[in-house]
Amino acid sequence: MLRWLPENISTFGQGVDTLFSAIYYITLIVLILVMATLIIFLIKYRHQEGKKATYIEGSTTLEIIWTAATTVIVFVLAMFSYPQWNKIKSPNQFPENPDVVVQVSGKQFNWDMTYPGPDNEFGTDDDLDLENELHVPRNAVVHIRLTSQDVIHSFFVPQLRLKQDALPNRFINVWFEATKAGRYEIPCAELCGFGHSEMRGYLNVHEQTDYDAWVQERWPQEAEGGQ
Amino acid sequence: MHDNEHTSHHEESFLRKYVFSLDHKTIGKQFLIYGLIMFFLGGGLALLFRWKLAYPEKPLPIIGVSQQYLDEGEVVTGADRMWERIYESDEEEWLELYMPAGVMTDAFYNMLFTMHATVMVFFVIVPILVGAFGNFLIPLMIGTRDMAFPILNMLSFWFAVLAAIIMMAGFFVPGGHAAAGWTGYTPLSADAQWTGVEWGQILWGLSLFVQGLSSLVGSINYITTVINMRAPGMTFFRLPLVIWSLFIVAVLLLLAFPVLSSAIVLLVFDRLAGTTFFTATAEGGGDPLLWQHLFWFFGHPEVYILILPGMGIASELIPVFSRKPIFGYRSMVYAMIAIAFLGWIVWGHHMFQSGMRPGLGSIFMTTTMLIAVPSAIKTFNWLGTMFRGSIRFTAPMLHGIAFVSMFVIGGLSGIYMANTPVDVYIHDTYFIVAHIHYVVFGGSLFAVFGGIIFWFPKMYGRYMNDVLSKIHFWLTFIAFNCTFFPMHILGVGGHRRRISNPLAEAVEVVTQEQTFADMNIFITMSAFTLGFAQLILVFNFFWSMYKGKTAEQNPWHVNTLEWEAPTPVPHGNFGQIPTVYRGPYEYSVPGEEADWTPQAQPEHAPATGGD
């Protein structure tokens, strides 16, 4: 099962994958134990002539054991999950001073990417709008200001292990740091109409030098600005 | 001795007896047949869109044009002729709009999966589990003559019929049927401009509103009946577990459905009056997340409404065919109450990625994972019931065993989604599709099949054909797993749900290439097998109604009260209301000669039974 996971390319993705494998092995072991017990019981206690069932009403000890065991497993799993979840989604735990800030806005059926430009402010003349193409440098903290212009969309980059719904008239912040250069798809993960299936953008993770060159191409006069 | 004269000795008109019946047994059977008809409709919708998922660009078989027609314009099949005629006519034909040349449009695909889920949840599982089994079993198993409010009971069925008619009408209105998913997320569902769906969405809401009334009057009836009309000696802790489950579910329905109804009223206002409760505009307005909170506040208890009666039925089948008391009766009851209670405080787990405050996500994760505890208790108790039993592999028991094993898979896969960090990745992928089908099909429907075969002799006085039942079981069991297990793998691979064209799917094109396309074809083939296997059930059901082997009064040697009633059960159920002396699962009691001791059997008298 685990080998079907796409390659992870984000800094927090490894944590997600670790939890995924932990749950995978826990559930696999439980499944095997339960199924094996079931099959053994079905064979061993099948109806045989002259053999009667044994009258057993239950066992308080056993009930307490499996209630307690399940509760413990659940809480241990939860304990390991809280920090991981907060790392991905809680804005107060995002790495500060992002290297790149981009606004991503979903609309039927495209992703609009807006770069604030050298002044780092949205809504000014040096903004850059790109349709469906997101460019970021490798090993850099990227903050995404996520919104939508019509219905709910969901920003999903499988390789980043990142998914967040985009809501109209609201800005939701997410972050990531990509560790591998390449071109990755950004499908929409929330049903958004008849074009939902084909709605997708691309995340281009560049090496720093390539990214700098890309920035220089877009905003040439600011190349020496030292932002 | 015979106090039944006032109940059974007057002739009823045909209409009163078979159509607008007040008898709980007839209403139960009406709900069962209604549910089976809708089951075929809902399944048919699924098969239609499964074709699209396997062959996104290929015309459907039978109604689509042939390859020769596509390539050379040569008319070969009847379908080609039909399409020639449609293209020549000036009128906009229904088929041309949704399936030009037999290739489904994406818009129609969205309508199909929306309606598949809506039909299966609201018009199949709930009517069968709650409507059919609830009505048929509650008075019989608690030992009374009928429901507390027979007229409400009749209304509950006819409201459900009205709701189904309204829902089906949606396919034929301009703009087509609702296409925003069964969850109807706003703003997509709140404004026609986003989907092109005009009246379909409103009819969807109206129909669910009416179905809500049906559930409401039904549940009031169940609760009143169980509380007030139990036979002498039938204490709460002598109730069979299926009655406990139906009682708990009635409480859930009573409290949950009005939330959906209210949300639907607001949604219809949004569409018709521009109120923007569920959309945010620049001038202000409401919030799309409000809809999600309201929908899931209803929707999560609804999920347990779908599974609890299944657990109840399995808890009847397993002791009977293991000839043993249920293991830990009281803990089974408390576990169901715990599930019902937790069901109210987990709705946020559908909204981890929705933009809900992340801190809330952690809380909902904790409550959600806690559901594993009562679920584990129930599973271990079912296993404990089989332990040192004398297991009879009858067709109902096979379904009971399938219920347990499929519920285990469905329950375990739930832990992945409950875990917030893992959910970030698998949310809205096929993993969740696999999960819901393992719980609702693998769980509830296997219980339904088992329950139908088990209580058929009491319903119709005949057995269902055993060979056909077993063929149906094995085909369903195998095809079910072939259909839904691979969906876990698709989900882990990043295959999104609700997409119409998996060939253009993001991740698989990058990393998995052909494999996922092949898997989709395999799933579709299995789904068709699964669909056709159900024809065996329907044939068996209707054939056995007239031609099945005549059944004795208590063919499976069961303790509970419904088997004390004569077969076929007369109006008024029992000659004399039985008195209950013990719990429902006294099988293989030491010192007793027979391996069953009916609830109504007085102390120290030998079991006579009904053979």
Side-chain angles (χ1 to χ4, degrees):
Chain A
M1 188 80 90
L2 292 171
R3 71 186 178 91
W4 294 92
L5 272 173
E7 184 187 13
N8 162 51
I9 60 149
S10 79
T11 47
F12 53 63
Q14 191 50 52
V16 173
D17 288 2
T18 307
L19 273 170
F20 196 110
S21 345
I23 297 177
Y24 175 70
Y25 287 112
I26 293 171
T27 52
L28 187 69
I29 290 167
V30 174
L31 181 68
I32 290 172
L33 288 179
V34 170
M35 291 299 176
T37 315
L38 179 65
I39 290 167
I40 290 170
F41 283 6
L42 291 182
I43 295 169
K44 199 164 168 207
Y45 303 120
R46 69 186 185 281
H47 171 60
Q48 285 159 306
E49 279 311 317
K51 247 178 109 179
K52 255 182 108 172
T54 314
Y55 183 86
I56 307 169
E57 282 184 288
S59 154
T60 315
T61 322
L62 278 176
E63 301 282 355
I64 291 170
I65 290 174
W66 54 55
T67 306
T70 321
T71 314
V72 169
I73 295 175
V74 161
F75 274 106
V76 169
L77 204 53
M79 283 302 160
F80 280 104
S81 308
Y82 299 133
Q84 187 59 36
W85 167 247
N86 287 330
K87 191 172 167 187
I88 303 172
K89 287 288 174 93
S90 287
N92 55 7
Q93 294 197 20
F94 289 1
E96 283 169 21
N97 305 319
D99 302 293
V100 180
V101 178
V102 192
Q103 177 178 305
V104 175
S105 172
K107 67 166 188 222
Q108 285 184 332
F109 299 100
N110 285 298
W111 293 109
D112 283 348
M113 321 288 186
T114 307
Y115 286 79
D119 65 358
N120 260 330
E121 270 182 48
F122 290 105
T124 51
D125 286 344
D126 63 352
D127 285 7
L128 172 70
D129 292 320
L130 295 173
E131 193 162 83
N132 289 329
E133 296 289 337
L134 181 60
H135 297 272
V136 301
R138 189 169 76 89
N139 292 337
V141 172
V142 180
H143 279 200
I144 304 272
R145 231 163 73 109
L146 194 58
T147 188
S148 162
Q149 298 161 49
D150 39 45
V151 298
I152 299 176
H153 302 277
S154 192
F155 181 86
F156 180 29
V157 185
Q159 287 87 348
L160 290 178
R161 308 289 187 263
L162 177 62
K163 184 182 288 128
Q164 175 61 54
D165 286 5
L167 298 170
N169 288 304
R170 252 182 81 179
F171 294 91
I172 297 170
N173 290 309
V174 288
W175 79 283
F176 64 85
E177 183 181 334
T179 55
K180 191 179 169 193
R183 186 171 160 85
Y184 310 95
E185 299 199 19
I186 312 174
C188 171
E190 185 66 66
L191 176 67
C192 61
F194 55 84
H196 169 59
S197 190
E198 322 294 321
M199 176 168 173
R200 84 171 42 87
Y202 293 90
L203 166 70
N204 301 281
V205 181
H206 304 284
E207 294 296 343
Q208 189 68 46
T209 47
D210 298 339
Y211 182 77
D212 290 342
W214 181 79
V215 171
Q216 184 138 9
E217 205 180 298
R218 290 296 181 287
W219 296 279
Q221 71 277 28
E222 291 296 328
E224 303 295 311
Q227 273 282 335
Chain B
M1 183 94 188
H2 291 283
D3 60 347
N4 61 336
E5 278 172 39
H6 64 288
T7 51
S8 61
H9 284 284
H10 59 93
E11 281 302 308
E12 290 170 308
S13 66
F14 177 81
L15 267 185
R16 183 50 93 198
K17 198 165 178 191
Y18 295 107
V19 184
F20 297 106
S21 174
L22 299 177
D23 187 308
H24 73 99
K25 299 179 290 294
T26 311
I27 297 171
K29 290 176 196 168
Q30 285 174 327
F31 263 118
L32 182 56
I33 289 167
Y34 167 99
L36 286 177
I37 292 170
M38 297 305 281
F39 177 51
F40 272 80
L41 238 138
L45 299 175
L47 295 188
L48 275 177
F49 68 68
R50 263 322 314 176
W51 178 267
K52 172 104 174 159
L53 287 164
Y55 309 105
E57 270 117 36
K58 240 164 99 173
L60 278 160
I62 303 167
I63 59 164
V65 295
S66 63
Q67 197 58 43
Q68 286 96 317
Y69 186 80
L70 279 181
D71 295 342
E72 294 143 35
E74 183 191 338
V75 174
V76 190
T77 61
D80 296 346
R81 263 193 300 283
M82 179 182 80
W83 282 104
E84 286 263 285
R85 214 173 46 243
I86 290 175
Y87 286 134
E88 278 160 17
S89 86
D90 293 329
E91 283 170 53
E92 274 270 274
E93 296 246 2
W94 192 90
L95 262 184
E96 192 183 3
L97 206 59
Y98 294 126
M99 281 189 275
V103 183
M104 196 180 297
T105 64
D106 283 3
F108 188 54
Y109 169 84
N110 287 357
M111 293 173 205
L112 285 177
F113 73 70
T114 300
M115 293 320 299
H116 164 68
T118 305
V119 166
M120 286 303 193
V121 169
F122 294 100
F123 296 87
V124 178
I125 310 280
V126 174
I128 293 184
L129 281 177
V130 183
F133 287 116
N135 270 310
F136 189 81
L137 296 178
I138 289 178
L140 279 170
M141 290 181 98
I142 67 171
T144 185
R145 301 201 183 282
D146 207 316
M147 284 287 188
F149 310 114
I151 293 181
L152 281 188
N153 210 12
M154 176 191 78
L155 282 178
S156 149
F157 176 69
W158 288 102
F159 275 140
V161 172
L162 179 65
I165 292 170
I166 298 173
M167 192 57 89
M168 288 308 120
F171 275 113
F172 305 101
V173 293
H177 215 323
W182 82 281
T183 52
Y185 274 18
T186 56
L188 190 64
S189 63
D191 197 323
Q193 64 170 311
W194 308 127
T195 50
V197 175
E198 304 272 352
W199 274 93
Q201 193 74 46
I202 296 169
L203 289 179
W204 175 85
L206 187 65
S207 164
L208 292 188
F209 190 89
V210 176
Q211 192 72 327
L213 292 177
S214 160
S215 290
L216 210 61
V217 291
S219 52
I220 291 170
N221 214 349
Y222 292 0
I223 295 169
T224 316
T225 308
V226 172
I227 292 180
N228 286 331
M229 298 172 70
R230 283 166 288 124
M234 180 63 93
T235 59
F236 266 96
F237 280 107
R238 282 179 180 170
L239 282 178
L241 288 170
V242 70
I243 300 300
W244 263 110
S245 73
L246 289 163
F247 178 65
I248 293 168
V249 158
V251 176
L252 290 183
L253 271 174
L254 182 71
L255 300 177
F257 225 116
V259 179
L260 178 69
S261 303
S262 321
I264 284 172
V265 171
L266 298 183
L267 178 68
V268 172
F269 275 133
D270 270 11
R271 285 191 75 108
L272 293 179
T275 45
T276 67
F277 288 112
F278 299 126
T279 50
T281 63
E283 308 92 70
D287 190 336
L289 286 190
L290 176 61
W291 168 265
Q292 294 183 27
H293 280 295
L294 291 175
F295 184 87
W296 289 117
F297 190 81
F298 147 79
H300 207 84
E302 170 75 13
V303 174
Y304 294 138
I305 290 165
L306 302 179
I307 189 70
L308 280 170
M311 294 174 165
I313 292 172
S315 305
E316 299 303 316
L317 301 179
I318 293 170
V320 169
F321 295 109
S322 303
R323 311 310 293 166
K324 263 195 67 196
I326 190 91
F327 196 90
Y329 172 88
R330 283 193 184 228
S331 66
M332 288 301 250
V333 174
Y334 295 136
M336 282 198 282
I337 294 173
I339 290 173
F341 173 75
L342 285 172
W344 293 103
I345 51 171
V346 298
W347 81 90
H349 68 216
H350 299 270
M351 298 171 61
F352 287 153
Q353 321 310 332
S354 69
M356 184 178 71
R357 190 180 164 183
L360 269 176
S362 294
I363 294 167
F364 280 119
M365 167 174 73
T366 317
T367 55
T368 303
M369 298 209 331
L370 271 178
I371 292 203
V373 177
S375 308
I377 295 175
K378 296 203 76 80
T379 305
F380 292 134
N381 280 333
W382 286 317
L383 290 178
T385 306
M386 291 182 227
F387 172 67
R388 298 182 68 186
S390 173
I391 299 169
R392 268 78 165 171
F393 294 100
T394 58
M397 183 61 171
L398 292 177
H399 285 97
I401 297 165
F403 170 90
V404 175
S405 46
M406 296 300 98
F407 174 73
V408 169
I409 298 181
L412 289 174
S413 68
I415 297 175
Y416 293 74
M417 265 97 48
N419 190 275
T420 43
V422 175
D423 184 70
V424 174
Y425 178 71
I426 56 174
H427 187 83
D428 273 329
T429 66
Y430 259 70
F431 200 89
I432 184 75
V433 181
H435 168 70
I436 185 72
H437 285 94
Y438 263 88
V439 176
V440 176
F441 195 138
S444 309
L445 269 180
F446 275 111
V448 163
F449 297 150
I452 290 175
I453 303 168
F454 182 65
W455 280 294
F456 196 87
K458 194 44 76 179
M459 288 183 177
Y460 297 102
R462 291 170 189 279
Y463 287 98
M464 279 176 79
N465 183 290
D466 191 50
V467 176
L468 284 180
S469 298
K470 283 182 175 160
I471 294 174
H472 165 252
F473 169 78
W474 284 109
L475 270 178
T476 305
F477 186 76
I478 294 166
F480 164 80
N481 280 294
C482 290
T483 304
F484 296 107
F485 199 83
M487 290 187 185
H488 291 111
I489 298 169
L490 289 181
V492 174
H495 191 308
R496 296 168 293 153
R497 71 192 285 207
R498 292 175 168 176
I499 56 158
S500 58
N501 187 351
L503 294 183
E505 177 58 330
V507 181
E508 69 188 83
V509 173
V510 178
T511 59
Q512 320 280 4
E513 295 279 347
Q514 202 52 44
T515 327
F516 277 6
D518 291 346
M519 219 179 273
N520 264 312
I521 292 172
F522 175 74
I523 291 173
T524 296
M525 293 307 159
S526 310
F528 273 87
T529 315
L530 184 59
F532 286 113
Q534 305 318 309
L535 295 177
I536 302 174
L537 175 83
V538 163
F539 172 77
N540 192 0
F541 185 86
F542 288 104
W543 184 83
S544 303
M545 219 185 260
Y546 299 101
K547 299 277 160 123
K549 201 175 104 200
T550 315
E552 313 84 89
Q553 185 187 325
N554 189 354
W556 318 106
H557 295 178
V558 190
N559 288 340
T560 42
L561 293 185
E562 77 272 32
W563 305 97
E564 300 289 329
T567 301
V569 189
H571 195 62
N573 297 347
F574 302 95
Q576 190 182 15
I577 293 293
T579 304
V580 174
Y581 296 93
R582 57 182 64 74
Y585 305 111
E586 296 295 294
Y587 294 101
S588 304
V589 178
E592 294 276 344
E593 202 171 309
D595 64 354
W596 52 299
T597 317
Q599 284 192 280
Q601 180 188 302
E603 303 288 344
H604 307 301
T608 46
D611 319 62

